[in-house]
Amino acid sequence: MKVKDYYQDALTDQHYSMRLLIEYLVHEKKVLTMDDSEEKLSYYLQERFTNKLNQYLSEYERGAQNVG
């Protein structure tokens, strides 16, 4: 599967956290593209990144709310 497939599933199944993570990694950090394989996405889902990513996503979410 590709990142875009996971993103579509997140939209369809209303998995807000996964949608936000993919948007952050693709649009904000630009470390993934929608055509990347799931292995690249899995890298960022490692437990060792959880705390820091949650912090970044919280900040990203607040910034997105202020814009829209």
Side-chain angles (χ1 to χ4, degrees):
M1 284 179 71
K2 295 186 180 230
V3 172
K4 65 183 169 188
D5 299 319
Y6 282 93
Y7 185 72
Q8 185 59 47
D9 288 347
L11 289 173
T12 301
D13 298 335
Q14 298 180 354
H15 293 291
Y16 181 73
S17 297
M18 180 60 82
R19 181 183 66 102
L20 188 66
L21 174 65
I22 292 171
E23 289 174 357
Y24 175 74
L25 294 173
V26 170
H27 302 297
E28 182 74 16
K29 298 307 282 181
K30 299 183 185 335
V31 294
L32 292 178
T33 69
M34 290 295 194
D35 289 321
D36 282 336
S37 68
E38 66 185 280
E39 288 83 24
K40 287 189 174 184
L41 178 59
S42 295
Y43 175 79
Y44 294 97
L45 294 173
Q46 294 178 66
E47 188 174 327
R48 65 185 173 141
F49 297 127
T50 302
N51 291 334
K52 203 62 172 169
L53 265 176
N54 284 339
Q55 178 185 344
Y56 292 148
L57 290 176
S58 180
E59 293 169 8
Y60 178 68
E61 183 179 36
R62 279 195 303 274
Q65 289 174 352
N66 290 336
V67 171

